[in-house]
Each structure stands twice: as C-alpha cells, then as structure tokens.
Amino acid sequence: MSDTVHPVIVAIDGPSGTGKSSTSRAVAAELGLSYLDTGAQYRAITWWMITNGIDVADAAAVAEAAAKPAIVSGTDPAHPTITVDGVDASVPIRTQEVTSKVSAVSAVPEVRTRITGLQRSIAAAAPNGIVVEGRDIGTTVLPDADLKIFLTASPEARAARRAGELKGADVSATREALVKRDAADSTRTTSPLAKAADAVEVDTTELTLQQVIECVVTLVAEKRAAAK
C-alpha cells in the first residue's frame, strides 16, 4: 500500500438482517482494512454474564461486573476472532440464549462505556484503517469516522435473511424478534440505534450482497479521493 493512502475509518450501522456483517467483512477484505464486529463484543460480554451466573435482568449486577471479562477481538476480515478470558467465544456467543439477552446487557451504561472504550482503541490502532460495524458507531463510538453508512431493509427482507442464516427458522417469528430487538435498541437511553446526521443511507432490500459491497467500496473510494 502506498504511503499516500491515509488510514480510513468506515462506520457501518443498521439493524440486524441488513447485510451489515457480510458487507463490512467483504469491504474490509477488498480494501485491505481491519474489521470489527462490535455486536460480537456485546454478545461476548452477555455470554460471560450468563456463564458466570449474573442475572442479566439486574442492571446493577451487570454494571458491577462489566469491567471483569477480558474481551479480545481479532480484526482480520478473513478470520475475525473473539475471545473472553482467553477462551474462543465465536460459537457460544451466537446461541439463542445470548441473542435473547444481549439487548438488556447492551442497555447498561457501564457496559457501553467499557465496550465503547475497547472499540475506540481498536480503531485507533488499525494501521491502514478499519471497517467498524454496529448500531451506534457513527453516532457515539466513532463520530469523527471518515465515512458513515447506515444500512436499512424492509422487516420482511431482513427476517428472510436472518431465518436463512439460522437454517430453517420460522420467518414470521424471526421478523417479530427483529422488530422487538429494533425497538429495544432504538429506544434505549444510552447510545441508541440511530442514523448519524452525516451518514449515507443504503436500502439493501432490493440489492444483492455484491451490489451493496460495490456501493460501499465506491463510497470509500470517493471519500479517499476527496481527501487527497
């Protein structure tokens, strides 16, 4: 990579099922950037709480324990990793139990402060720049990101994609769960899911994954060209 290319920080936000993870990983790989799935970090701390017998409905108990787990995220888009206290957590954080409880844990301010600090340090250390995906990256975590993108899609399209990922899950039940999660994430007091004022909105409902990736890569190229 030439010395004239400045590190670029790309924030990609949006609700579940919009193609956020697949898009972010592919864009990072294509552009030689690091990649961070911030949702995995919230899932990791949720999994740790469950595993260690913390009542996730007890915000005070969650807040008290928020600093305890050591969460380490690998940022290679080809093989992103996450460990908790040295244990590979990439599989257990995707269970239905974690999915059902992550919103409650994520809403606790002490948890968000802890994870946000972690995210900012990872982004600052990325040598060529980074694609960071989540729900509050452009608004709260990295408000000075070079490019902010907000992915959307219809609830029906999102449910169909997520049900496909979950191998035969019921689409209507998945849609209901997604809508419930959106409501919880959008209305929480601390760092709600929201589109930043200067974000580019991309509706992925009618787009293939490859089209979304190409769109984002083009936006990054335009941003880099304008910065020269």
Side-chain angles (χ1 to χ4, degrees), residues 17-100:
T18 53
K20 214 168 45 204
S21 295
S22 303
T23 299
S24 300
R25 281 183 66 175
V27 168
E30 190 167 325
L31 297 176
L33 305 176
S34 299
Y35 160 74
L36 179 61
D37 173 3
T38 64
Q41 295 176 312
Y42 284 106
R43 285 175 170 274
I45 200 167
T46 302
W47 174 67
W48 183 91
M49 297 279 176
I50 295 167
T51 306
N52 284 275
I54 308 293
D55 179 1
V56 300
D58 182 346
V62 170
E64 193 177 329
K68 291 180 180 177
I71 299 168
V72 178
S73 297
T75 58
D76 176 357
H79 184 61
T81 58
I82 187 154
T83 64
V84 182
D85 293 341
V87 177
D88 178 6
S90 53
V91 174
I93 64 170
R94 302 293 170 185
T95 62
Q96 185 55 45
E97 185 179 20
V98 171
T99 299
S100 67

Side-chain angles (χ1 to χ4, degrees), residues 9 36 113 115-125 139-143:
I9 293 179
L36 179 61
T113 299
I115 302 295
T116 296
L118 200 56
Q119 292 161 0
R120 286 175 177 158
S121 63
I122 291 168
T139 52
T140 303
V141 180
L142 300 168

Side-chain angles (χ1 to χ4, degrees), residues 139-164:
T139 52
T140 303
V141 180
L142 300 168
D144 298 323
D146 300 293
L147 176 64
K148 301 175 188 178
I149 293 166
F150 194 84
L151 298 183
T152 63
S154 71
E156 290 72 24
R158 291 166 49 214
R161 288 171 190 164
R162 184 46 56 91

